[in-house]
Amino acid sequence: MILLQSHSRFLLQTLLNRVQNLEKGVEFDNHWVEFDDVRYHIQVSLKNPHILLLSVSLPTPPPEAIFFGGLPSGAIEAIKAAYGVIVQILDPPRDGFNLTLKLNLSKLPPDEGYKHALLVKIASIRETVLGAPLRVILKQLAARTAASNMDRRFAIVHRPNESFFLVPQEFVEARRTAGLNNAPSCMWSPSPPLELKGAPAETLSANAGFVTFVIYPRHVEGKKLDRTVWSLSTFHTYVSYHVKCSEGFMHTRMRRRVESLIQALDRAKPELEKSKKTVLSRSFKRMSLKEGRINSDS
């Protein structure tokens, strides 16, 4: 099973190249788009080679999602906690983007291992921002506490034309076999589950089905929290990736099968053509009686 990495590979490679050539003045201005309609813009100027501007555009939020200053709930706190003094949030952000960060690369730690880990975390800005509200709720789940002002149904940004709801509930964990204790329960239904009763109609109609995960405190304890946040946030992309891989695998097998059949036909063709040539190559010479007498006299 292949899991998607939380960091942007292109962004990480760009940061590593910039850090390795920090003293060289370069001008860099690049845009790119990654899965789930997340857009990036990175810019470096000759005047300030140590400063890097990173802008991020998020998917269009559903109408029921809670946004503060164009960002999901808890995103500002998550950015400050993750990056510290290296990153400064610019207000307002660049036009067309939800977030613009000013990175001071000269403040990176001297230790190479810690520096690389921090750059990987910066390249994971998508997870930090979009996973912020999910992380807050799952932390409360791990601590077995719930905020008194938390709505019974909490919507977060997921993908365009798709909705992602969190519904805090109290369950009694059932004892199951050891092999199933590590995985959350997963259910699919063509109709909205009862937990989404009262949700806006537009969030329930533009959907091909509903997938429900039941998350218990054991799934978000300790280091499991980051993995759970990322897995839930990228569930659609993860499924789409493996579906496309399966299609590619089947197409590859079909092409190999067709090639083997063509090779079998090609091996059969030469024998057939050879037999045809043998029959067609037979020739007869008609001799006259006069020629026969001359040959006999000689």
Side-chain angles (χ1 to χ4, degrees), residues 136-156:
V136 171
I137 296 177
L138 294 183
K139 277 185 177 180
Q140 296 174 354
L141 175 63
R144 293 172 172 81
T145 60
S148 57
N149 59 348
M150 180 179 294
D151 191 89
R152 295 292 297 175
R153 184 179 59 251
F154 192 82
I156 64 176

Side-chain angles (χ1 to χ4, degrees), residues 48-152:
N48 297 312
H50 297 79
I51 301 300
L52 185 146
L53 295 180
L54 174 62
S55 301
V56 182
S57 175
L58 305 177
T60 303
E64 65 276 7
I66 301 176
F67 260 45
F68 296 97
L71 294 173
S73 175
I76 299 295
E77 294 77 8
I79 293 172
K80 293 180 179 179
Y83 308 129
V85 296
I86 299 177
V87 171
Q88 177 185 355
I89 302 175
L90 298 185
D91 189 18
R94 293 290 182 90
D95 291 340
F97 293 90
N98 299 83
L99 173 68
T100 298
L101 301 178
K102 182 179 180 180
L103 281 66
N104 191 342
L105 301 180
S106 62
K107 293 185 179 181
L108 288 171
D111 182 79
E112 292 297 329
Y114 183 49
K115 181 189 298 185
H116 186 272
L118 188 55
L119 292 177
V120 172
K121 188 179 294 185
I122 294 174
S124 305
I125 183 65
R126 178 192 185 282
E127 177 193 14
T128 303
V129 175
L130 289 180
L134 182 59
R135 186 183 303 274
V136 171
I137 296 177
L138 294 183
K139 277 185 177 180
Q140 296 174 354
L141 175 63
R144 293 172 172 81
T145 60
S148 57
N149 59 348
M150 180 179 294
D151 191 89
R152 295 292 297 175

Side-chain angles (χ1 to χ4, degrees), residues 15-282:
L15 293 173
L16 292 173
N17 292 338
R18 186 81 282 275
V19 170
Q20 293 172 359
N21 303 278
L22 198 57
E23 300 303 328
K24 297 180 181 179
V26 296
E27 189 167 354
F28 189 83
D29 192 335
N30 202 350
H31 295 256
W32 74 96
V33 181
E34 295 192 355
F35 60 90
D36 291 344
D37 198 27
V38 178
R39 297 188 295 112
Y40 295 87
H41 177 215
I42 192 169
Q43 187 176 19
V44 179
S45 64
L46 290 171
K47 185 178 179 180
N48 297 312
H50 297 79
I51 301 300
L52 185 146
L53 295 180
L54 174 62
S55 301
V56 182
S57 175
L58 305 177
T60 303
E64 65 276 7
I66 301 176
F67 260 45
F68 296 97
L71 294 173
S73 175
I76 299 295
E77 294 77 8
I79 293 172
K80 293 180 179 179
Y83 308 129
V85 296
I86 299 177
V87 171
Q88 177 185 355
I89 302 175
L90 298 185
D91 189 18
R94 293 290 182 90
D95 291 340
F97 293 90
N98 299 83
L99 173 68
T100 298
L101 301 178
K102 182 179 180 180
L103 281 66
N104 191 342
L105 301 180
S106 62
K107 293 185 179 181
L108 288 171
D111 182 79
E112 292 297 329
Y114 183 49
K115 181 189 298 185
H116 186 272
L118 188 55
L119 292 177
V120 172
K121 188 179 294 185
I122 294 174
S124 305
I125 183 65
R126 178 192 185 282
E127 177 193 14
T128 303
V129 175
L130 289 180
L134 182 59
R135 186 183 303 274
V136 171
I137 296 177
L138 294 183
K139 277 185 177 180
Q140 296 174 354
L141 175 63
R144 293 172 172 81
T145 60
S148 57
N149 59 348
M150 180 179 294
D151 191 89
R152 295 292 297 175
R153 184 179 59 251
F154 192 82
I156 64 176
V157 181
H158 182 49
R159 285 172 49 87
N161 300 323
E162 293 187 11
S163 299
F164 194 121
F165 294 96
L166 294 174
V167 183
Q169 290 185 353
E170 294 183 359
F171 288 98
V172 177
E173 295 194 48
R175 294 293 179 182
R176 298 182 295 172
T177 59
L180 299 177
N181 279 335
N182 296 329
S185 300
C186 179
M187 297 163 285
W188 179 88
S189 63
S191 58
L194 296 178
E195 291 83 3
L196 298 183
K197 184 179 181 181
E202 60 271 14
T203 62
L204 304 179
S205 58
N207 207 309
F210 299 83
V211 179
T212 302
F213 293 96
V214 181
I215 308 298
Y216 290 106
R218 67 173 182 269
H219 299 133
V220 292
E221 293 175 346
K223 296 182 179 180
K224 295 180 181 179
L225 176 62
D226 292 337
R227 182 176 179 180
T228 302
V229 170
W230 178 248
S231 298
L232 291 176
S233 301
T234 59
F235 171 72
H236 183 281
T237 305
Y238 169 80
V239 174
S240 298
Y241 172 79
H242 281 276
V243 168
K244 292 178 181 178
C245 288
S246 300
E247 291 177 351
F249 176 74
M250 288 187 292
H251 291 166
T252 301
R253 293 199 61 180
M254 291 171 63
R255 284 193 294 267
R256 290 178 180 174
R257 180 59 176 167
V258 171
E259 291 174 357
S260 65
L261 293 175
I262 293 176
Q263 290 176 0
L265 291 176
D266 290 340
R267 287 194 299 268
K269 283 182 180 179
E271 298 178 359
L272 181 60
E273 292 178 356
K274 184 177 180 180
S275 61
K276 287 183 178 180
K277 289 181 179 179
T278 303
V279 174
L280 295 176
S281 61
R282 293 176 181 175

